Amino acid sequence: MIIHSRIEGTQLAGNLLGDPSERDLFVYLPPGYEEEQDRRYPTAYLLQAYGTTAEEIVNPPTDGQRWRPPIEDVLDPVFRRMGVPPMIIAIPDGWSRWGCGQWVDSPVTGNFEQYMLKDVVPFVDAHYRTIPESRSRGLFGFSSGGFGSWNLASRNPDVFGAMAVLSADSFLDMTHKFMLYKYLDSIWPEAPNGPIEGNEWSELVYDYAATYSPNPDKPPFYVDLPVAFPSGELIQEVWDRWLSFDPVVNVHGRLDNLRKLSGIMLDAGLHDDYNLHWGHRLLSHYLNEAGIAHEFTENAGNHGGRANERYQVSLQWLSKVLKHD
Amino acid sequence: MIIHSRIEGTQLAGNLLGDPSERDLFVYLPPGYEEEQDRRYPTAYLLQAYGTTAEEIVNPPTDGQRWRPPIEDVLDPVFRRMGVPPMIIAIPDGWSRWGCGQWVDSPVTGNFEQYMLKDVVPFVDAHYRTIPESRSRGLFGFSSGGFGSWNLASRNPDVFGAMAVLSADSFLDMTHKFMLYKYLDSIWPEAPNGPIEGNEWSELVYDYAATYSPNPDKPPFYVDLPVAFPSGELIQEVWDRWLSFDPVVNVHGRLDNLRKLSGIMLDAGLHDDYNLHWGHRLLSHYLNEAGIAHEFTENAGNHGGRANERYQVSLQWLSKVLKHD
Amino acid sequence: MIIHSRIEGTQLAGNLLGDPSERDLFVYLPPGYEEEQDRRYPTAYLLQAYGTTAEEIVNPPTDGQRWRPPIEDVLDPVFRRMGVPPMIIAIPDGWSRWGCGQWVDSPVTGNFEQYMLKDVVPFVDAHYRTIPESRSRGLFGFSSGGFGSWNLASRNPDVFGAMAVLSADSFLDMTHKFMLYKYLDSIWPEAPNGPIEGNEWSELVYDYAATYSPNPDKPPFYVDLPVAFPSGELIQEVWDRWLSFDPVVNVHGRLDNLRKLSGIMLDAGLHDDYNLHWGHRLLSHYLNEAGIAHEFTENAGNHGGRANERYQVSLQWLSKVLKHD
Amino acid sequence: MIIHSRIEGTQLAGNLLGDPSERDLFVYLPPGYEEEQDRRYPTAYLLQAYGTTAEEIVNPPTDGQRWRPPIEDVLDPVFRRMGVPPMIIAIPDGWSRWGCGQWVDSPVTGNFEQYMLKDVVPFVDAHYRTIPESRSRGLFGFSSGGFGSWNLASRNPDVFGAMAVLSADSFLDMTHKFMLYKYLDSIWPEAPNGPIEGNEWSELVYDYAATYSPNPDKPPFYVDLPVAFPSGELIQEVWDRWLSFDPVVNVHGRLDNLRKLSGIMLDAGLHDDYNLHWGHRLLSHYLNEAGIAHEFTENAGNHGGRANERYQVSLQWLSKVLKHD
């Protein structure tokens, strides 16, 4: 059963894109929740990927060549067919008009990290029978949602005790830098001037710039781009701001936090269309070097083709590492 | 809940390919079946597509780039999330070593129509609380499974009262005849001599020949091919045997039977990779010409991309047109 | 050296599409033509394919991802590097606003067969030192140009003594009938109403209808389409008119004419994107059955990828079978 | 007319791959060369791309889906149709069993730079009526041949006075670094152990390592790879050796040499499959910053699709900037 609420994202208010601060929040209650009125549950937060909304996860559009099942069809089998001990699953909204807030703080898209910490988690703990402790609170997500899981848990181990990181944005040098040049190609030979609707590269670059290298003093788009036009020179100072969000870069400074977590799971598809498995391998290598135990798996999927299955696997794993009643 | 049995396919025994006659049979029992011990249910038979097995529908392989959920994850939501009145769902095995028995009678691959009528249905009625009448018995299937649903119901309205035909093999002139020439290309300039493992066109052509134009007097492959080698001339007499199985051809001779059915549903994806929607449109036109009411829908899918969703929709519809207790 | 003229196509005048009757005519004069003022030469007519013009063959557009060399770069090596005995090569214009006149007579697109016979050939013979006899006159062309070569030579062996048929439109049942259904898909669910610019299937179907099944009594498009909308039923009577132009169909009635030719060459690529090699194989089979000698070759090309090389090979062959001074 | 010789590559002898030092050398003599026995000509050296041979440029294989014309069909029109003042064109062989010597010195693949300077150029000057001076000697090439042109001319302006750099390997950070990871994917999870025949990524990486980061002390493959297995960490010290060959990197240290050249032409396709146009833009930017005049053009091609046309354009340009008699 999924409960729909609208919550006020106080930490999103005033974002420069003018996106609404009131947001959807969906909460999945596991089988038995109604019957066992005194039982409390661990909570898993599902962070969405780039380009979608919490609403679309719950009620996917039907105009695609492939079916995306409603998330309820993915979650129910976890606790029924697979017999996983029950958890509450919260699905906050991370939408931005430029694609995704990337679950980080930005004056342009909104402070999504603070929103998770100060709006979403308190609301869920207040309205549902959660176990309101970090060791009973986990994160999971795919692509930008995996990236968000990494950054939220590795910065806030006192709030989130475990993370399942699925095909996360990482190793930006190899997986995202080329997008700057695809963007230049896509606007060539015109001058760049803000995101262009329907131009995928432009939308991606402006979304990342709005979240990783925002510049509130630079209207009307409020971003610094890490590439010069038309020369194509990389602007290293801006690019370094992007890299500070990259798991394979910031892992080195967060080892103490990472050691506090009850569990870290890294999973990616061997055929990831964006090669995000390259970053996962490197990240696992760095965790191993630091002696930090973690699950590391690779599946047969491309980018997204097995995401729903990996949600099921993630929840099976989270239910093991999170503390139950 | 899915119950696994092994049944003896008496009607498959002696097939010239030497495929086993003992087969898997899976039966899905809807929520509440256990609790309501006196209740009887309509039954929907799910016929599989070319190239798979009943076992793989229940436990799909995990080595693909995309996830195929276990069929239980598709069926449970029908009766839980969607609230459809419960039915029993039977999943017989139609596998052949050359791809699929196409759910028709052939001395080469086995008599799959008779197997359904004399082995499968009696077993299900004997072991589960079905309503053992045609008006409470339906068929559904995708691709070759839709083709099988059409042929079984349109020939046996006294056994099956309704059919949901999903992206069925049909209009073979436009959708299958070219395969004969792709096959010739694939073996060019060698002489054809039986199905070649890993050669998709060869496998398809021999499978169809084994089911549509078998020739027990022609060892070692026991088939007539409808194309001459190397000239590429169509052998009309053999091709006509294939066409006799084509829904857009045999519909004209089965109008009386079709009128006896409680329901006919035709559904195909607008982006079907094999253009099977072309046959669906023509079939619907002929049904309309004959004044036979039916559901006709087209979805946004390609061949297979929305099959699981269409199973859900089919069951919602079957539950309406089949008679419940 | 290529000479450009403009000629009046008296046989094209009055076409219902309103295409101009004055046309480009390019004539390639081989090395030595200027020096040997008394010498006369055989003539090869190059018929263009669908969707292009004589002008584009001589001066190809430069905006493509791949280079198409000017035809002079293809013809010069034939007589220099390859040392082929010299011929005159005439390049008439077969353009139609709907794609191509297909080199046949139609009140809608214009009488392209008559134009070849009464306008083009007489002009070339009058202005250049040709040998004005059928045994010194050949045709060659690729795709629709191969189709045109076939129909012109097989109907007028007294004018054209040889033909090199390259990847010609043929076996329409397998290679063109599906286009009718792609066209229906492309306009679905709207009603068809004439060719739609930028809609490839619509353009192809209307072009073929204008040339194969014109109907001057049916304004504003003056064509009969061989498929019904929206049912998708084939209209056999109209389709038969298309088939009458199909080499694998009309070969049977033209055997006497074909026997009069000095040479027939059939060549197609094994990887033809439109599977035109299927028709070539069948055509060769029928010629063999009739005991008509011919060259039959298959090359490693796709549709068009080796066309220029095949022009060189065709000219080498034509120079052998046509009579020189 | 093309003259074929075999020459001894004294500078290739002893290469660790054991490739032969005797090589093909093809020399194209322009129209009129035979007749004007006292005339001397500028010389343009055509450097081949990765994965081919001089022999294949002259006599391309005929088993491809697309025709590659013999180079004579590309060169003749330059001096006939286009009317370019005549030059001699030399085509040395740069083949290596691992793909290409990249026209640089390496103990593993052979000293291709020295071979050009000490074997090829002296032979051509000794046997043909060249103007044996740098201002009458130019280089041109596509892909690795453009890369070779850049490195040879920018290091030896006293030998080569001009270069036409076509779609050259450059900006390796964006265009080649990813290949290291594609290579890791391609051997995953096995350990890397030398180039694997038929594995494109493996072949590319080992070829570049053999030319850019050879290590004669490391049998049996004699290379340092710039990526660690299995971690995927970049080995910066080795990668820096690769970068030293990158035009966008070494341009900064060669400005004085570049100023000595009579002409620099940069040309790339806007749709280059390897994005080599990105490096061209950056290179042009750096040349502009240094005040070095040069031609900079972008064409509509993909990687290779317009290469022959660009050869024609390069020769037209080289004939202008090189000194004639």
Side-chain angles (χ1 to χ4, degrees):
Chain A
M1 186 176 54
I2 291 184
I3 310 293
H4 177 218
S5 309
R6 294 284 291 175
I7 67 167
E8 174 59 25
T10 64
Q11 305 298 311
L12 302 180
N15 68 78
L16 293 171
L17 293 185
D19 285 338
S21 56
E22 190 185 297
R23 295 290 176 122
D24 285 322
L25 176 70
F26 296 92
V27 177
Y28 172 87
L29 302 176
Y33 186 90
E34 300 284 284
E35 293 75 8
E36 307 186 57
Q37 286 289 337
D38 294 333
R39 185 167 173 184
R40 303 189 76 87
Y41 299 86
T43 313
Y45 288 81
L46 168 50
L47 304 187
Q48 84 208 29
Y50 174 93
T52 185
T53 63
E55 162 69 19
E56 285 193 349
I57 290 177
V58 175
N59 298 306
T62 58
D63 57 358
Q65 295 204 5
R66 294 181 177 277
W67 185 46
R68 289 167 44 194
I71 196 70
E72 196 170 348
D73 289 12
V74 176
L75 302 181
D76 268 345
V78 172
F79 305 109
R80 296 188 190 275
R81 174 174 55 83
M82 296 166 68
V84 167
M87 299 187 289
I88 290 167
I89 298 163
I91 307 170
D93 184 53
W95 175 84
S96 153
R97 74 181 57 218
W98 284 4
C100 187
Q102 296 293 99
W103 307 101
V104 302
D105 291 341
S106 158
V108 179
T109 47
N111 295 325
F112 277 92
E113 179 173 354
Q114 300 310 312
Y115 156 72
M116 283 299 295
L117 301 174
K118 297 185 181 148
D119 298 323
V120 173
V121 170
F123 182 94
V124 172
D125 282 343
H127 291 76
Y128 299 96
R129 281 181 272 112
T130 64
I131 306 171
E133 299 168 22
S134 72
R135 58 186 178 172
S136 297
R137 223 184 262 120
L139 290 155
F140 70 116
F142 169 78
S143 199
S144 290
F147 170 90
S149 298
W150 171 270
N151 279 315
L152 274 162
S154 68
R155 285 168 54 90
N156 305 282
D158 48 321
V159 181
F160 300 105
M163 60 174 159
V165 174
L166 308 174
S167 307
D169 293 16
S170 56
F171 202 10
L172 302 189
D173 185 59
M174 276 292 95
T175 61
H176 285 63
K177 197 160 67 179
F178 82 98
M179 293 179 184
L180 301 172
Y181 294 91
K182 285 287 187 186
Y183 160 64
L184 289 190
D185 275 353
S186 77
I187 57 160
W188 199 261
E190 306 294 323
N193 61 349
I196 300 156
E197 203 170 315
N199 174 330
E200 180 196 8
W201 302 115
S202 147
E203 291 175 342
L204 283 166
V205 164
Y206 271 89
D207 186 61
Y208 295 140
T211 49
Y212 304 156
S213 54
N215 186 343
D217 299 328
K218 211 164 155 185
F221 301 114
Y222 306 107
V223 301
D224 293 322
L225 295 188
V227 70
F229 177 85
S231 73
E233 275 194 293
L234 193 74
I235 302 169
Q236 192 64 44
E237 172 266 330
V238 179
W239 179 244
D240 284 344
R241 291 165 67 192
W242 286 41
L243 288 184
S244 69
F245 291 92
D246 184 344
V248 307
V249 172
N250 62 38
V251 58
H252 303 296
R254 299 182 185 173
L255 296 175
D256 288 345
N257 279 355
L258 291 164
R259 278 186 234 281
K260 292 183 192 158
L261 299 177
S262 314
I264 301 172
M265 175 179 167
L266 303 178
D267 180 79
L270 281 163
H271 302 285
D272 192 287
D273 305 274
Y274 296 95
N275 296 310
L276 299 179
H277 58 302
W278 295 349
H280 275 238
R281 288 177 186 166
L282 206 45
L283 199 50
S284 176
H285 171 68
Y286 293 137
L287 291 174
N288 282 332
E289 279 192 333
I292 297 176
H294 62 283
E295 294 283 314
F296 174 76
T297 51
E298 298 196 323
N299 64 69
N302 59 10
H303 193 69
R306 302 195 76 89
N308 282 329
E309 180 205 32
R310 307 326 284 179
Y311 285 166
Q312 293 186 340
V313 170
S314 296
L315 288 169
Q316 190 172 38
W317 173 84
L318 276 172
S319 190
K320 268 188 214 139
V321 301
L322 293 181
K323 195 165 177 304
H324 289 254
D325 242 359
Chain B
M1 186 175 56
I2 292 184
I3 312 292
H4 176 217
S5 309
R6 295 283 291 175
I7 67 168
E8 174 58 25
T10 63
Q11 305 298 312
L12 302 181
N15 68 79
L16 292 171
L17 293 185
D19 285 337
S21 57
E22 190 186 298
R23 296 290 176 122
D24 286 320
L25 175 70
F26 297 92
V27 177
Y28 172 88
L29 302 176
Y33 185 91
E34 299 284 284
E35 293 75 9
E36 307 185 57
Q37 286 288 336
D38 293 335
R39 185 167 172 183
R40 302 190 77 87
Y41 300 85
T43 313
Y45 287 82
L46 168 51
L47 303 187
Q48 85 209 28
Y50 173 93
T52 186
T53 63
E55 162 70 19
E56 285 194 348
I57 290 177
V58 176
N59 298 307
T62 59
D63 57 358
Q65 295 204 6
R66 295 181 177 277
W67 185 47
R68 288 167 45 194
I71 196 70
E72 196 170 349
D73 290 12
V74 177
L75 302 181
D76 268 345
V78 172
F79 305 109
R80 297 188 190 277
R81 174 173 56 83
M82 295 166 69
V84 168
M87 298 187 289
I88 291 166
I89 298 163
I91 308 171
D93 184 53
W95 174 84
S96 155
R97 74 182 58 220
W98 284 4
C100 188
Q102 295 294 99
W103 307 100
V104 302
D105 291 342
S106 158
V108 180
T109 47
N111 295 325
F112 278 91
E113 179 173 353
Q114 299 310 313
Y115 156 73
M116 283 299 295
L117 300 174
K118 298 185 179 147
D119 297 323
V120 174
V121 170
F123 182 94
V124 172
D125 283 343
H127 291 78
Y128 300 94
R129 281 181 271 113
T130 64
I131 305 171
E133 300 168 20
S134 72
R135 59 187 178 171
S136 297
R137 224 185 262 120
L139 289 154
F140 71 116
F142 169 79
S143 199
S144 289
F147 170 90
S149 298
W150 171 270
N151 279 317
L152 274 162
S154 68
R155 285 168 53 90
N156 304 283
D158 49 320
V159 180
F160 301 105
M163 59 174 159
V165 175
L166 309 174
S167 308
D169 294 16
S170 57
F171 202 8
L172 302 189
D173 185 60
M174 276 291 95
T175 61
H176 285 63
K177 198 161 65 179
F178 82 97
M179 294 179 184
L180 301 171
Y181 293 90
K182 285 287 188 186
Y183 159 64
L184 289 189
D185 275 353
S186 77
I187 58 159
W188 199 261
E190 305 295 323
N193 61 350
I196 299 156
E197 203 171 316
N199 175 331
E200 179 195 10
W201 302 114
S202 148
E203 291 175 342
L204 283 166
V205 164
Y206 271 89
D207 186 61
Y208 295 140
T211 49
Y212 305 156
S213 53
N215 185 343
D217 299 328
K218 211 165 155 186
F221 301 114
Y222 304 108
V223 302
D224 293 323
L225 295 187
V227 71
F229 177 86
S231 73
E233 276 194 292
L234 193 75
I235 302 168
Q236 192 65 42
E237 172 267 329
V238 180
W239 179 244
D240 284 344
R241 292 165 67 193
W242 286 40
L243 288 185
S244 69
F245 292 93
D246 184 344
V248 307
V249 172
N250 61 38
V251 58
H252 303 295
R254 300 182 185 172
L255 296 175
D256 288 346
N257 279 354
L258 291 164
R259 280 185 234 280
K260 292 184 192 157
L261 299 177
S262 314
I264 301 172
M265 174 178 167
L266 304 178
D267 180 80
L270 280 164
H271 303 284
D272 192 287
D273 306 273
Y274 296 95
N275 296 310
L276 300 179
H277 58 302
W278 296 349
H280 275 238
R281 288 177 187 167
L282 207 44
L283 200 49
S284 176
H285 170 68
Y286 293 137
L287 291 175
N288 282 332
E289 278 192 333
I292 297 176
H294 62 283
E295 294 283 315
F296 174 75
T297 51
E298 298 196 323
N299 65 69
N302 59 10
H303 193 69
R306 302 195 75 90
N308 282 328
E309 180 204 33
R310 306 326 284 180
Y311 284 166
Q312 294 187 339
V313 169
S314 296
L315 289 169
Q316 189 171 40
W317 173 84
L318 275 172
S319 189
K320 268 187 215 140
V321 301
L322 293 181
K323 195 166 176 304
H324 289 255
D325 241 359
Chain C
M1 185 176 54
I2 291 185
I3 311 293
H4 177 218
S5 310
R6 297 282 291 174
I7 67 168
E8 174 58 25
T10 63
Q11 305 298 311
L12 302 180
N15 68 79
L16 292 170
L17 292 185
D19 284 337
S21 56
E22 190 186 300
R23 295 290 176 121
D24 285 321
L25 175 70
F26 296 92
V27 177
Y28 172 88
L29 302 176
Y33 186 91
E34 300 283 286
E35 293 75 9
E36 308 185 55
Q37 286 288 338
D38 294 333
R39 185 167 171 184
R40 303 188 77 86
Y41 299 86
T43 313
Y45 288 81
L46 169 50
L47 304 187
Q48 84 207 29
Y50 174 94
T52 186
T53 63
E55 161 70 19
E56 286 194 347
I57 290 178
V58 175
N59 299 306
T62 59
D63 57 358
Q65 294 204 7
R66 293 180 178 278
W67 185 46
R68 288 166 47 194
I71 196 70
E72 195 171 349
D73 290 11
V74 177
L75 302 181
D76 269 345
V78 172
F79 304 109
R80 296 188 191 276
R81 174 174 56 82
M82 296 166 69
V84 168
M87 297 188 289
I88 291 167
I89 299 164
I91 309 171
D93 184 54
W95 175 83
S96 153
R97 72 180 59 217
W98 284 4
C100 187
Q102 296 294 100
W103 306 101
V104 302
D105 291 342
S106 158
V108 180
T109 46
N111 295 325
F112 278 91
E113 180 173 351
Q114 299 311 312
Y115 156 74
M116 282 299 294
L117 301 174
K118 298 185 180 148
D119 297 323
V120 173
V121 170
F123 182 95
V124 172
D125 283 342
H127 291 77
Y128 299 95
R129 281 181 271 113
T130 63
I131 305 170
E133 299 168 20
S134 73
R135 58 185 178 173
S136 296
R137 224 184 260 121
L139 290 155
F140 70 116
F142 169 79
S143 200
S144 290
F147 170 90
S149 298
W150 172 270
N151 278 316
L152 274 163
S154 68
R155 286 167 54 90
N156 305 282
D158 49 321
V159 179
F160 301 105
M163 60 174 158
V165 174
L166 309 174
S167 306
D169 294 17
S170 57
F171 202 7
L172 302 189
D173 186 59
M174 276 292 95
T175 60
H176 285 64
K177 197 160 67 179
F178 82 97
M179 294 179 183
L180 301 171
Y181 294 90
K182 286 288 186 185
Y183 159 64
L184 289 189
D185 275 354
S186 77
I187 57 159
W188 199 261
E190 305 295 322
N193 61 350
I196 300 156
E197 202 171 318
N199 175 330
E200 179 196 9
W201 302 115
S202 147
E203 291 175 342
L204 283 165
V205 164
Y206 271 89
D207 186 60
Y208 295 140
T211 48
Y212 304 156
S213 55
N215 185 342
D217 299 329
K218 211 166 157 186
F221 300 114
Y222 305 107
V223 301
D224 292 324
L225 295 188
V227 69
F229 177 86
S231 72
E233 275 194 293
L234 193 74
I235 302 168
Q236 192 64 44
E237 173 265 329
V238 179
W239 179 244
D240 285 344
R241 292 166 67 194
W242 287 40
L243 288 184
S244 69
F245 292 93
D246 183 343
V248 307
V249 173
N250 61 38
V251 59
H252 303 295
R254 299 183 185 171
L255 296 175
D256 288 344
N257 279 353
L258 291 163
R259 279 185 234 280
K260 293 183 191 158
L261 298 177
S262 315
I264 302 173
M265 175 180 168
L266 303 178
D267 179 81
L270 280 164
H271 303 284
D272 192 288
D273 305 274
Y274 295 95
N275 296 310
L276 298 180
H277 57 303
W278 296 350
H280 275 239
R281 288 177 187 167
L282 207 44
L283 199 50
S284 175
H285 171 68
Y286 293 138
L287 291 175
N288 283 332
E289 279 192 333
I292 297 176
H294 63 284
E295 295 283 315
F296 174 75
T297 52
E298 298 196 322
N299 65 69
N302 59 10
H303 193 68
R306 302 194 76 89
N308 282 330
E309 180 205 33
R310 304 329 282 180
Y311 285 166
Q312 293 186 341
V313 170
S314 297
L315 288 169
Q316 189 171 40
W317 173 85
L318 275 172
S319 189
K320 267 187 216 142
V321 301
L322 293 181
K323 194 166 177 303
H324 289 255
D325 241 359
Chain D
M1 186 176 53
I2 291 185
I3 311 293
H4 177 218
S5 309
R6 295 284 291 174
I7 67 168
E8 175 59 25
T10 63
Q11 305 298 312
L12 302 180
N15 68 79
L16 292 171
L17 293 185
D19 284 337
S21 56
E22 190 185 300
R23 296 290 176 121
D24 285 321
L25 175 70
F26 297 91
V27 177
Y28 172 88
L29 302 176
Y33 185 90
E34 299 285 285
E35 292 76 8
E36 308 185 54
Q37 286 289 335
D38 293 333
R39 185 166 172 185
R40 302 188 78 86
Y41 300 86
T43 313
Y45 287 82
L46 168 51
L47 304 186
Q48 85 207 29
Y50 174 92
T52 187
T53 62
E55 162 69 19
E56 286 193 348
I57 290 177
V58 175
N59 298 307
T62 58
D63 58 357
Q65 294 204 6
R66 293 180 179 277
W67 185 47
R68 288 166 46 195
I71 197 71
E72 195 171 349
D73 290 11
V74 177
L75 302 182
D76 268 345
V78 172
F79 304 109
R80 296 188 190 275
R81 174 174 55 82
M82 296 166 69
V84 168
M87 298 187 289
I88 290 166
I89 299 164
I91 308 171
D93 184 53
W95 174 84
S96 154
R97 73 180 59 219
W98 284 5
C100 188
Q102 297 293 101
W103 306 101
V104 301
D105 291 341
S106 158
V108 180
T109 47
N111 295 326
F112 278 91
E113 180 173 352
Q114 299 312 312
Y115 157 72
M116 283 298 295
L117 300 175
K118 298 185 181 148
D119 297 323
V120 174
V121 170
F123 182 94
V124 173
D125 283 343
H127 291 75
Y128 299 95
R129 281 180 271 113
T130 64
I131 305 170
E133 299 168 21
S134 71
R135 59 187 177 171
S136 297
R137 224 184 260 121
L139 290 156
F140 70 116
F142 169 78
S143 201
S144 290
F147 170 89
S149 297
W150 171 269
N151 279 316
L152 274 163
S154 67
R155 286 168 53 89
N156 306 282
D158 48 322
V159 180
F160 300 105
M163 59 174 158
V165 174
L166 309 174
S167 307
D169 293 17
S170 57
F171 202 8
L172 302 189
D173 186 60
M174 276 292 95
T175 61
H176 284 64
K177 197 160 68 178
F178 82 96
M179 294 179 184
L180 301 171
Y181 293 90
K182 285 288 187 185
Y183 159 64
L184 289 189
D185 275 355
S186 77
I187 58 160
W188 199 262
E190 305 295 323
N193 61 350
I196 300 156
E197 202 171 317
N199 175 330
E200 180 196 8
W201 303 115
S202 148
E203 292 175 342
L204 283 166
V205 164
Y206 271 88
D207 186 61
Y208 296 140
T211 48
Y212 305 156
S213 53
N215 185 343
D217 299 329
K218 212 165 157 186
F221 301 114
Y222 305 107
V223 301
D224 293 323
L225 294 188
V227 70
F229 177 86
S231 72
E233 275 195 292
L234 193 75
I235 302 168
Q236 192 64 44
E237 173 265 329
V238 179
W239 180 243
D240 284 344
R241 292 166 66 194
W242 287 40
L243 288 184
S244 69
F245 292 92
D246 185 343
V248 307
V249 173
N250 61 38
V251 58
H252 303 295
R254 300 183 184 171
L255 296 175
D256 288 345
N257 279 354
L258 291 164
R259 279 186 234 281
K260 292 183 192 157
L261 299 177
S262 314
I264 301 172
M265 175 179 167
L266 304 178
D267 179 79
L270 280 164
H271 303 284
D272 191 288
D273 306 273
Y274 296 96
N275 297 310
L276 299 180
H277 58 303
W278 296 349
H280 275 238
R281 288 176 187 168
L282 207 45
L283 199 49
S284 175
H285 171 68
Y286 292 138
L287 290 175
N288 282 332
E289 279 192 333
I292 297 177
H294 62 284
E295 294 283 314
F296 174 76
T297 50
E298 298 196 322
N299 64 69
N302 60 9
H303 193 68
R306 301 194 76 89
N308 282 328
E309 180 204 33
R310 306 327 282 179
Y311 285 165
Q312 293 186 340
V313 169
S314 296
L315 288 169
Q316 190 172 39
W317 173 84
L318 275 172
S319 189
K320 268 189 214 139
V321 300
L322 293 180
K323 194 164 178 303
H324 289 254
D325 239 1

